[in-house]
Amino acid sequence: MTLTRRTLLAGGGAALALAACGDSDEPGGGRAAAGRGSFPAKVPHKFGTTVVRVEPRRVATYGGGDVDTLLALGVAPVLVPDIDPRWKRLGGVAPWSRERLGGTEPVVVSNEQVDFERVAEVRPDLVTAVEFDMKRGDYDKLTELAPTVAPPSGYAPYTVPWDVMAVQVGAALGRRAQARRLVRAARSRIAAAARANPAFGRSRAVLIDPDDDGGVYIFAPNDVRTRFLSDLGFTMPAAIEELFEGQFYATLSAERLDMLDEADVLVLVATREPQTANTTGTATYRRVRAVREERVVRIDDPDLAIAMSYSSVLSIPYQLREIVPALRAALA
Amino acid sequence: MTAALRIPPRSVGVGLALSATLLALLVVSVGTGEFEIPPGDVVAALAGQGDRSTEFVVETLRLPRALTGALVGAALGIGGAIFQSVTRNPLGSPDIVGFMQGAAAGAVLEIVVLGGGAFAIAAGSVVGGVGAAALVYVLAYRGGVTGYRLVLVGIGISAMLIAVTDYLLTRSTLDQALAAQVWLTGSLNGRGWEHVRPVAAGLAVLLPVAALLARPLRTLELGDDAARALGVPVERARLALIAVAVALTAIATASAGPIVFVALAAPQIARRLTRVAGPGVGCAALTGAVLLVGADFLSQRLFGDVQLPVGVVTGVAGGAYLAWLLAHEWRRGAG
Amino acid sequence: MRRGAPWLLVVLAALALVLLLSVGVGARPIPLGRVWSLVWRPDGSSDAAIVHDLRIPRTLLGLMVGAALGVAGALMQALTRNPLADPGLLGVNAGAAAAVVTATTLLGTVDPLAYIWFAFLGAAVASVVVYGIGTAGRSGATPVRLALAGTAVSIALIAYVEGLTIVDREALDQYRFWAVGALGGHPGSLNAQIAPFILAGLVLAVALGRPLNAIGLGEDSGRALGARLVRTRVLGAVAITVLCGAATAAVGPIAFVGLAVPHVARAITGPDERLVLPLSAAIAPVMLLGADVVGRVVNRPGELEVGIVSALAGAPVFIAIVRRRRIAQL
């Protein structure tokens, strides 16, 4: 699995209310039908405001979750970032959204730095980079090529929540209302899963990811992964919550894994070796209460690990399908 | 220009050949790439007659990138030539005496801890580089600075700075680490006119100064006593020269990151080509430009999809070249 | 030996102290008295698990790796008669790193035992190349030449590693932690895996003490000993490769321990290699574990990796040596 650390650390940041990214609906109050936006669309973002004048036909994107969001809105992007080499061999997008490509084959580019020539080659009429650490210089250049939409202001790189991202991408396509409907649908699926499993609301859960020194990373309450668990009803143990001090993650050294004893269930990201084996092999990990009681949900599948940290309106149903039964079994 | 009259014919020939090579490299760099454009359309785009994508690729991407490469290479070549002459040691170049490692540590500190923007990163690198070079110079000073002590102290300080950089990288997210890694190896990707202008302005100011100082520089190579006998104010000339070299290296580093070995190799190659003992500032500048534009051309094409930072190519090629240079010099018994 | 006797006691006392600190100090505060009783009578508590399963293995790892690096440095300095010799400076670490990262990228290897063999290979190739460049020409390998050749080869290899890790991001994620030598976070089985290599290397090195003394007398008088000189060099190179390769494969590159420690040992015993080598094996863990303990304390609740602390502490020693000696000697 590639993108390991990014997958680990993506997704912190404040979960600002959706309202924060602009409640002024489509200009003229025109209601966009699914598949057709209303234009010109104005999209405010951290570098200013981009105006998309006509319905984009060729959308290039550097954002991880942007890909899913575009597909959910019915637009197959012509250029996507290389999130995982296994996906690249299968058309460049996540397994749960592959069929939405409708037979088209996007160009897949490595996303360490913007490869401007490859972007120019696909002759885009819109570039989105919401879940991407876009630099001012990148934005200035891409804007010369096509209208470019950056992350909304107020978020550190890779920390735009999936719901805010959906509306930002939707706005670029002139389809805010459609994007909001998608967000509402995804939220109600999560709420339904929470209602069906009242045990979740009575339990404390911690998502842990093995670090390189035999300990674990834990993600702050506003991280996308932690938020997913809290949306399902889980709470975070108080002692853990105090660790973050404004950071979006904290490390727990191998000697302090006893602090996890308060958790009723642990969600273990187990996609990196030898880190996972090192951490789970330590005597202190084996003594943690949830480990002794076999209440650990292992995320072995790299696709699920990516879904958890690159959440989108399309990944949510997949996440629920994969993880809710395991959580229910762990608490049984 | 009396100095111009004394330039040996071979140097003029080499200079012309280097200029022609540079021009050819620039044309190839602007004319080819992942985005295929027929030569006619390239010319049309340069004349402002192409379509939007073509003009974007030619005028916003390739031309400023190639020019930044040429200018940064030239600045590094001159900076290296002056450093090597002042220290009277081919290894006294900024990449060996800690400047580049200091620049790297300064920039990574800015990226990881302070979270500054492009300008702050460039400023951090300049401060780090100048600070490290000054520290090395002071520590190596014992009633004068000799080449080898300077180099060895440089190795020690570099090791400490690399430790600091490594530490900062382990405390960063992968994305900061990647941003830092790309910056650390030196890259020309995404360099635009905003990078061309400051380097061009810096060269426009510093090149004439370097040319004026060419004669004292040549005399300094003969040794302090000889220079003094010839009426050169040794300390003042040395200080002025070092200031020019540091300024040129700093401008280059701020624009493209710490690109190693161009400053080391360009003056050496220029000397071999011209077969002139003294520092040929002009030829060193042209050689530096050719090396960097050539290395950037390769770095964009070696691995297909993945673009390597140009510093990887100069690092591998330059390390091998330095090893060869050392073995060669020592075999001849000069070292 | 007589003039070194009190110092020898100091070294042994320092080693004992640092071993105690390494077992007694960590992220979880446990009173020293309790640690002491847990060492001898584990009571099944989580404190006992921390002491026995985390701190003691980590301390033993530091002991072995430190001894390996210190002895390898002393061997290098004796063999090349070069006061600046150090596995980090002479390209051995960079060679091991390049080989390990190549293996990770091409073969996807992550097994520490497999690391060791690639590290051996890389360390051996890099040292041969550096030595070959450094000895080119008539005047042979002077300290400056070896240091410069080591720097040139290291820079090329590190640029190569950087290129690979940019092409393969998973390799970057593993490499950037491994690139900073660290004693923490290794599986408990690592000690048993590297112990045979390090013990064999240490025994071989100490056995070379007497022939190395002959080399120390100078190339010419040493030459009278004929074939034994060649054999000593070859065996010395094997010992260096095994020690550095095993240490680097286990915990990542750690520079300057091998440089500074032999100087301290020689200052205590004088230039008798039969004493310098074992004494280096005792002093180096003091420096390495001391740096490790400092790293655990200065950056709480996180840790500062030992490779960073030792570079920050060791590089000034290197600069001091460079400044103190006249250039002619270097």
Side-chain angles (χ1 to χ4, degrees):
Chain A
M1 186 190 136
T2 182
L3 273 182
T4 42
R5 178 79 32 175
R6 181 195 309 262
T7 327
L8 269 183
L9 299 183
L16 294 185
L18 266 177
C21 72
D23 243 342
S24 65
D25 220 327
E26 280 77 347
R31 197 190 302 154
R36 238 191 40 236
S38 65
F39 295 93
K42 284 188 182 168
V43 193
H45 51 75
K46 66 190 230 186
F47 299 127
T49 299
T50 295
V51 180
V52 184
R53 299 198 180 283
V54 292
E55 176 94 48
R57 309 241 166 252
R58 302 181 60 78
V59 182
T61 183
Y62 259 90
D66 298 30
V67 180
D68 272 3
T69 311
L70 287 165
L71 286 167
L73 289 163
V75 173
V78 291
L79 178 137
V80 298
D82 180 10
I83 305 289
D84 186 308
R86 294 169 308 122
W87 295 3
K88 192 174 177 177
R89 288 190 288 276
L90 296 163
V93 303
W96 54 86
S97 23
R98 194 156 296 138
E99 60 186 25
R100 288 174 183 260
L101 279 176
T104 63
E105 276 193 28
V107 175
V108 185
V109 291
S110 101
N111 57 343
E112 270 103 61
Q113 31 184 5
V114 179
D115 189 341
F116 296 98
E117 293 212 5
R118 298 289 289 278
V119 180
E121 215 172 13
V122 302
R123 297 179 191 270
D125 47 19
L126 174 69
V127 180
T128 79
V130 178
E131 196 167 37
F132 179 65
D133 181 13
M134 185 146 72
K135 304 282 190 287
R136 175 100 224 177
D138 300 341
Y139 171 77
D140 289 343
K141 282 196 186 60
L142 287 171
T143 297
E144 285 188 39
L145 191 61
T148 299
V149 174
S153 50
Y155 296 97
Y158 297 103
T159 66
V160 182
W162 59 269
D163 39 11
V164 177
M165 176 172 66
V167 176
Q168 182 81 347
V169 173
L173 297 172
R175 301 176 198 176
R176 273 204 185 92
Q178 191 191 346
R180 290 214 175 90
R181 280 197 298 277
L182 289 169
V183 168
R184 274 196 299 275
R187 280 200 189 132
S188 68
R189 276 173 184 260
I190 299 177
R195 272 195 309 277
N197 296 282
F200 292 179
R202 296 190 295 268
S203 307
R204 284 161 302 177
V206 180
L207 184 138
I208 56 174
D209 199 333
D211 74 1
D212 300 81
D213 301 317
V216 295
Y217 297 108
I218 304 174
F219 303 100
N222 56 11
D223 176 86
V224 60
R225 283 148 288 195
T226 312
R227 267 182 70 215
F228 181 67
L229 291 178
S230 58
D231 287 347
L232 284 172
F234 290 100
T235 49
M236 184 178 259
I240 299 287
E241 214 170 332
E242 282 166 17
L243 288 173
F244 298 103
E245 294 173 345
Q247 297 271 29
F248 67 84
Y249 73 102
T251 49
L252 216 50
S253 110
E255 297 198 359
R256 298 311 318 260
L257 293 180
D258 59 304
M259 288 182 72
L260 296 172
D261 278 346
E262 281 186 60
D264 300 307
V265 60
L266 291 177
V267 180
L268 169 73
V269 180
T271 51
R272 296 196 307 154
E273 291 297 347
Q275 286 88 341
T276 305
N278 286 355
T279 293
T280 56
T282 58
T284 42
Y285 176 82
R286 291 196 300 268
R287 302 176 74 92
V288 172
R289 184 170 64 94
V291 177
R292 277 184 282 122
E293 295 173 358
E294 297 184 3
R295 296 175 187 274
V296 179
V297 174
R298 272 177 80 102
I299 300 185
D300 294 295
D301 180 1
D303 288 339
L304 181 57
I306 298 175
M308 293 285 284
S309 50
Y310 276 105
S311 291
S312 70
V313 288
L314 287 187
S315 77
I316 296 284
Y318 170 83
Q319 286 167 243
L320 291 170
R321 199 165 60 234
E322 296 286 318
I323 210 170
V324 166
L327 284 166
R328 191 190 305 134
L331 285 170
Chain B
M1 285 271 291
T2 50
L5 297 176
R6 274 186 278 122
I7 292 177
R10 186 180 167 90
S11 298
V12 177
V14 168
L16 287 175
L18 283 171
S19 306
T21 311
L22 178 61
L23 195 64
L25 276 172
L26 287 174
V27 169
V28 175
S29 297
V30 174
T32 64
E34 286 171 323
F35 188 113
E36 283 178 29
I37 309 171
D41 291 4
V42 173
V43 176
L46 286 172
Q49 304 291 318
D51 70 8
R52 191 175 185 181
S53 295
T54 314
E55 276 195 21
F56 171 75
V57 169
V58 173
E59 287 190 353
T60 309
L61 298 182
R62 291 184 187 163
L63 191 58
R65 177 177 185 150
L67 287 179
T68 307
L71 294 168
V72 165
L76 289 173
I78 303 172
I82 295 177
F83 263 114
Q84 293 177 20
S85 292
V86 168
T87 57
R88 289 206 293 279
N89 188 321
L91 297 167
S93 91
D95 21 18
I96 304 287
V97 298
F99 185 98
M100 295 292 183
Q101 288 75 16
V108 172
L109 186 75
E110 192 62 52
I111 291 173
V112 173
V113 179
L114 306 171
F119 181 79
I121 293 169
S125 74
V126 171
V127 170
V130 173
L135 185 63
V136 169
Y137 195 87
V138 167
L139 285 175
Y141 192 89
R142 267 189 56 185
V145 169
T146 53
Y148 277 129
R149 199 189 294 125
L150 190 71
V151 172
L152 291 172
V153 171
I155 291 174
I157 293 290
S158 298
M160 293 178 73
L161 290 167
I162 289 169
V164 170
T165 307
D166 280 345
Y167 165 67
L168 291 171
L169 284 181
T170 65
R171 292 293 169 267
S172 64
T173 64
L174 180 63
D175 303 294
Q176 289 173 328
L178 280 170
Q181 194 83 0
V182 169
W183 195 91
L184 280 176
T185 32
S187 171
L188 290 172
N189 187 50
R191 294 300 180 273
W193 295 105
E194 71 272 21
H195 297 94
V196 174
R197 276 181 231 113
V199 190
L203 274 175
V205 173
L206 293 168
L207 206 54
V209 181
L212 282 177
L213 290 168
R215 202 186 73 86
L217 183 61
R218 212 163 299 146
T219 349
L220 276 179
E221 280 223 325
L222 304 172
D224 288 2
D225 296 337
R228 234 172 251 122
L230 288 168
V232 174
V234 171
E235 290 307 326
R236 200 144 35 99
R238 181 156 35 219
L239 199 63
L241 281 162
I242 288 177
V244 169
V246 165
L248 283 168
T249 314
I251 290 170
T253 307
S255 302
I259 294 175
V260 289
F261 279 112
V262 175
L264 171 82
Q268 295 294 315
I269 293 174
R271 274 180 198 220
R272 262 155 235 277
L273 290 174
T274 56
R275 296 192 196 145
V276 171
V281 169
C283 283
L286 284 170
T287 311
V290 167
L291 284 181
L292 193 54
V293 176
D296 191 42
F297 181 81
L298 284 181
S299 74
Q300 288 182 73
R301 287 158 183 81
L302 279 180
F303 282 88
D305 276 7
V306 182
Q307 297 207 353
L308 287 179
V310 64
V312 169
V313 176
T314 62
V316 173
Y321 171 76
L322 176 59
W324 175 84
L325 177 75
L326 294 171
H328 184 77
E329 296 271 316
W330 292 337
R331 193 158 289 128
R332 285 195 334 198
Chain C
M1 186 65 202
R2 219 180 316 128
R3 77 172 171 128
W7 280 104
L8 193 62
L9 286 178
V10 172
V11 167
L12 290 176
L15 184 59
L17 177 69
V18 107
L19 289 174
L20 275 178
L21 281 176
S22 178
V23 175
V25 178
R28 183 183 173 90
I30 309 175
L32 281 178
R34 178 159 162 73
V35 172
W36 183 250
S37 72
L38 285 175
V39 168
W40 307 110
R41 285 183 303 279
D43 59 3
S45 65
S46 60
D47 284 353
I50 286 170
V51 169
H52 281 273
D53 294 333
L54 297 177
R55 293 190 188 167
I56 290 179
R58 179 177 183 153
T59 304
L60 290 177
L61 182 64
L63 189 67
M64 284 196 291
V65 168
L69 292 173
V71 169
L75 265 183
M76 276 184 144
Q77 293 180 9
L79 276 174
T80 61
R81 291 196 291 148
N82 178 350
L84 297 180
D86 170 80
L89 289 175
L90 295 196
V92 180
N93 287 348
V100 168
V101 174
T102 307
T104 324
T105 307
L106 298 182
L107 311 173
T109 316
V110 285
D111 178 21
L113 199 58
Y115 269 5
I116 288 190
W117 295 102
F118 287 106
F120 285 163
L121 184 69
V125 171
S127 11
V128 167
V129 170
V130 168
Y131 197 76
I133 296 169
T135 50
R138 283 181 308 257
S139 53
T142 65
V144 174
R145 289 185 173 190
L146 278 176
L148 290 179
T151 305
V153 169
S154 296
I155 292 176
L157 287 172
I158 288 166
Y160 163 78
V161 168
E162 278 172 352
L164 268 192
T165 54
I166 285 171
V167 175
D168 178 348
R169 275 203 269 186
E170 188 172 4
L172 167 65
D173 204 27
Q174 291 190 357
Y175 170 72
R176 72 197 177 96
F177 284 89
W178 188 75
V180 180
L183 293 179
H186 299 290
S189 56
L190 181 67
N191 283 348
Q193 284 170 353
I194 66 160
F197 295 105
I198 288 181
L199 283 180
L202 290 178
V203 169
L204 179 57
V206 173
L208 288 172
R210 187 189 295 272
L212 279 173
N213 277 344
I215 290 184
L217 297 175
E219 202 79 22
D220 296 329
S221 42
R223 192 158 291 148
L225 303 169
R228 268 182 40 204
L229 178 69
V230 177
R231 200 181 63 188
T232 305
R233 284 212 162 137
V234 171
L235 289 177
V238 169
I240 291 169
T241 305
V242 168
L243 290 171
C244 293
T248 308
V251 303
I254 294 179
F256 292 108
V257 171
L259 175 88
V261 166
H263 287 277
V264 179
R266 269 193 299 274
I268 293 174
T269 65
D272 185 346
E273 298 299 337
R274 288 172 302 174
L275 300 173
V276 169
L277 287 166
L279 196 58
S280 295
I283 298 173
V286 176
M287 179 171 164
L288 190 67
L289 283 172
D292 190 41
V293 171
V294 169
R296 290 182 222 172
V297 175
V298 293
N299 200 33
R300 273 183 171 159
E303 289 185 0
L304 198 52
E305 279 81 358
V306 66
I308 293 166
V309 182
S310 64
L312 291 176
V317 176
F318 172 80
I319 293 169
I321 299 169
V322 172
R323 276 176 60 80
R324 209 182 53 202
R325 287 176 191 256
R326 281 204 308 279
I327 290 302
Q329 271 177 286
L330 280 177

